[in-house]
DNA sequence: ATCGTTCTTAAGAACGTTTTCAACGACGAA
DNA sequence: TTCGTCGTTGAAAACGTTCTTAAGAACGAT
């Protein structure tokens, strides 16, 4: 079996009685005689040789690693993305390095500069908040970056975005078809990219379907988390009585379901609830959650492919993809009042 | 601001008018004059110098990366572990590389051999199945490994294990105190380490509390997933009528809740349900889920610390930690019949 | 005045790989 | 025989860092 001692090309070469260069050639490229190949293979096997990653990286400039920066490992939408990305990059021969940056752009800027230290060949970034500094850092990066999420129009970076507005439109349309008129929004922080998009989408949809809204029908959670969702929903129910709630997130929606149950409201009979992202949590919830599928899996997949392409061809034209949303209808809106 | 061109020590040295060695010394260790320090700092800043990871790794032998191998990124217990580990290793100056191996031991063996290529300084491994080959591979590894989970007694590797038996004992005790007598088990595959432990724990607890069980009260899901849990619970309900169900997993337990609801059974009035791992999913479930906390967060934390310690001191004595379980009581068992 | 001591700096050798370049032999063609 | 060609191999130069070794300067002590 493989030895536990650490070995290198020189050792293999010595044992095989050939030069280091030849060993490298046999193991990587071609151009070697039968005899040579046989002896090298044998020696490598006997010594349990495994090439050293850092030396190879130093020489070739490739790390075979791709970094994925997510704001919160606990958010099911990131879990979904991780799953997709892992599989795509793995197939292409890359390892995935997951960095959990906080929601603070400063963390992401740190990440970018350490990226340039060369521990990855490219970065998938899904920033919650976008600041001028972050954009500058992205522009200044030597390495390819693909952004999952919306970017300002003048930033010439590959990115794959969701279409929140259309997605929320689908949800509102579905709710209006059930004669729901007092449609509330439980949003995440509006200074985040998704938060802002959700709010805009909500307002547009309300207008398009001739509904009215008011500040009492709109609450903002302090984060995209379950606990924040509980608090925000409690506040909402204290100040108005909606017949439907659109949430910026499945986690927020599950929180809304719980809070409604605690308040004695029936879902969907009294209040319908719609989540967003269509993650596993939507199916697991009770009642199961109607959710706007913003295509997170598709986005992650597209982004990963885009990044791999760009790594291979740095001069390819910039691509901006928009993934179309769809609505997964489940129990939380099913039996209309 | 930082240049986008790639720079190296030689460039910085040239600009500062000093030697490469001096630049390295200023940037890393101490031992440099005021003047030297000033000039080097200035030049480094101006050139936007960032040290190259692979070169440093090649020279020092350290990668500052720690690998975490998980069987399924989607399982909330792994999410919890990732979150904990990320924070611990991050604080210690390591990056986390997450590798999603399947449940197949072969994947993990591959991972081990690529580990020895030197892309990480150590590995956190939480294997579902343990085979002789996997153990051999772990023994043969040059790099430190800490196993999260139970290992055969004769394997001299650091590890942190849960105490399923005691944990299930807590659950059963809690159920028995409510006069539940027909306690069923929805388990995961028994050829996995956790599956086997859960089954043994269940049988021991049943015996200890003088209950009876039968094959009709025990079902085995094909995996630790929601869908498998639905199928297994459906089967269970078809062949017996338990007044309590202990599940090997929160995901399985949520599935049981859903299946019970579909079958028209009230929880906890008719049937109590207990999950395991006490993940976020337990709190999000409806009704919220009583769950055995097997200390996954603590285990992950302890394992990460153990690994960091071993990296720093390879000759430290082997440690085997057992994390004590506890029971988080919630609605799914609260209002006893 | 000479010698050791201490401090600062520079030169250069690794680390292990890939890859260029030249050398060498064999072999067919002239 | 002689020359060019081709395929196979080895020597050596990178890649960018850290760290050892040594050289030089400054300085106090003998």
């Amino acid at each position: 079996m493989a030895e536990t001692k650490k070995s290198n090309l020189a050792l293999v070469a010595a044992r095989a009685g050939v030069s280091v260069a030849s060993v490298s050639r046999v193991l990587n490229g071609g151009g070697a005689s039968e005899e040579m190949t046989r002896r090298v293979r044998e020696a490598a096997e006997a010594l349990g040789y495994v090439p050293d990653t850092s030396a190879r990286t130093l020489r070739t400039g490739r790390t075979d690693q791709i970094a994925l920066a997510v704001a919160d490992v606990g958010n099911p939408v990131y879990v979904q993305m991780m799953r997709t990305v892992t599989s795509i990059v793995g197939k292409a021969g890359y390892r995935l390095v997951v960095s959990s940056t906080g929601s603070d752009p400063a963390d992401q800027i740190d990440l970018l500069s350490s990226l340039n230290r060369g521990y990855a060949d490219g970065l998938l970034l899904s920033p919650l908040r976008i600041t001028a500094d972050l954009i500058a850092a992205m522009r200044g990066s030597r390495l390819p970056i693909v952004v999952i999420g919306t970017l300002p129009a003048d930033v010439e970076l590959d990115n794959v975005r969701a279409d929140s507005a259309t997605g929320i439109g689908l949800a509102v349309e579905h709710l209006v078809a059930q004669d729901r008129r007092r449609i509330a929004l439980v949003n995440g922080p509006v200074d985040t990219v998704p938060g802002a998009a959700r709010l805009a989408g909500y307002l547009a949809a309300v207008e398009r379907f001739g509904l009215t809204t008011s500040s009492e029908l709109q609450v903002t959670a302090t984060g995209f988390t379950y606990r924040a969702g509980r608090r925000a929903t409690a506040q909402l129910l204290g100040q108005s009585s909606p017949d439907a709630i659109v949430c910026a997130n499945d986690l927020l929606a599950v929180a809304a379901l719980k809070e409604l149950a605690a308040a004695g409201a029936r879902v969907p009979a009294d209040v319908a609830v719609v989540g967003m992202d269509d993650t596993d949590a939507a199916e697991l919830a009770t009642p199961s959650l109607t959710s706007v599928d913003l295509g997170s899996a598709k986005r992650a997949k597209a982004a990963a492919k885009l990044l791999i392409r760009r790594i291979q061809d740095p001069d390819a034209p910039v691509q901006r993809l928009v993934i179309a949303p769809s609505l997964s209808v489940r129990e939380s809106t099913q039996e209309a009042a």
Side-chain angles (χ1 to χ4, degrees), chain A:
Chain A
M1 260 306 266
E3 297 281 323
T4 96
K5 302 280 302 174
K6 98 192 229 184
S7 60
N8 57 26
L9 278 186
L11 253 44
V12 176
R15 185 179 234 261
V18 300
S19 78
V20 176
S22 297
V23 178
S24 174
R25 245 191 317 260
V26 169
L27 265 31
N28 298 323
S33 68
E34 285 292 320
E35 171 65 4
M36 166 75 73
T37 305
R38 196 188 56 72
R39 286 183 29 205
V40 169
R41 285 258 145 74
E42 193 174 296
E45 174 75 16
L47 290 167
Y49 171 75
V50 274
D52 181 277
T53 304
S54 46
R56 168 176 289 167
T57 296
L58 178 58
R59 178 61 227 238
T60 62
R62 293 179 304 104
T63 66
D64 295 333
Q65 293 195 144
I66 281 181
L68 171 68
V70 301
D72 173 18
V73 234
N75 190 325
V77 71
Y78 290 123
V79 171
Q80 203 165 1
M81 286 186 178
M82 278 185 48
R83 194 155 26 190
T84 315
V85 169
T86 302
S87 131
I88 298 280
V89 304
K91 253 172 232 154
Y94 291 92
R95 277 186 306 278
L96 184 68
V97 183
V98 176
S99 304
S100 177
T101 70
S103 62
D104 188 354
D107 284 0
Q108 282 152 7
I109 294 176
D110 281 356
L111 183 71
L112 281 173
S113 84
S114 73
L115 236 200
N116 283 331
R117 296 173 156 230
Y119 79 86
D121 296 339
L123 173 68
L124 290 170
L125 190 60
S126 181
L128 270 183
R129 295 181 169 83
I130 293 188
T131 62
D133 282 350
L134 179 57
I135 290 179
M138 292 193 295
R139 283 212 172 100
S141 170
R142 257 190 317 118
L143 266 57
I145 298 178
V146 174
V147 173
I148 306 179
T150 301
L151 277 178
D154 61 333
V155 181
E156 60 295 336
L157 281 171
D158 294 314
N159 76 322
V160 183
R161 58 187 71 189
D163 184 353
S164 288
T166 303
I168 295 180
L170 291 176
V172 171
E173 181 178 27
H174 171 66
L175 294 169
V176 165
Q178 303 172 359
D179 284 327
R180 316 260 180 188
R181 314 288 302 170
R182 301 187 307 283
I183 300 180
L185 172 69
V186 173
N187 199 5
V190 287
D191 64 335
T192 62
V193 176
R198 310 290 202 255
L199 178 58
Y202 167 79
L203 293 174
V206 162
E207 165 141 20
R208 180 150 62 92
F209 291 97
L211 304 175
T212 57
T213 183
S214 66
S215 62
E216 284 78 27
L217 280 174
Q218 302 167 29
V219 289
T220 302
T222 56
F224 289 96
T225 63
Y226 175 76
R227 296 210 182 277
R230 288 295 293 259
R231 282 195 301 270
T233 308
Q235 183 200 334
L236 173 70
L237 298 180
Q239 69 194 25
S240 65
S241 40
D243 56 11
I245 306 180
V246 172
C247 303
N249 199 347
D250 280 348
L251 234 34
L252 294 175
V254 172
L257 288 178
K258 294 289 261 186
E259 199 63 35
L260 284 166
R266 290 166 304 160
V267 175
D270 301 330
V271 183
V273 176
V274 178
M276 213 158 288
D277 285 339
D278 198 25
T279 60
D280 291 347
E283 189 170 0
L284 270 51
T286 305
S288 63
L289 191 64
T290 294
S291 188
V292 177
D293 183 356
L294 291 175
S296 48
K298 278 186 194 164
R299 269 183 294 154
K301 185 172 179 173
K305 288 186 169 174
L306 227 49
L307 182 57
I308 290 170
R309 193 193 60 131
R310 171 143 319 273
I311 290 173
Q312 283 159 1
D313 177 12
D315 299 322
V318 170
Q319 290 223 14
R320 293 164 219 253
L321 269 44
V322 179
I323 303 294
S326 61
L327 188 69
S328 300
V329 178
R330 299 199 183 81
E331 295 164 358
S332 69
T333 62
Q334 192 78 294
E335 323 149 13

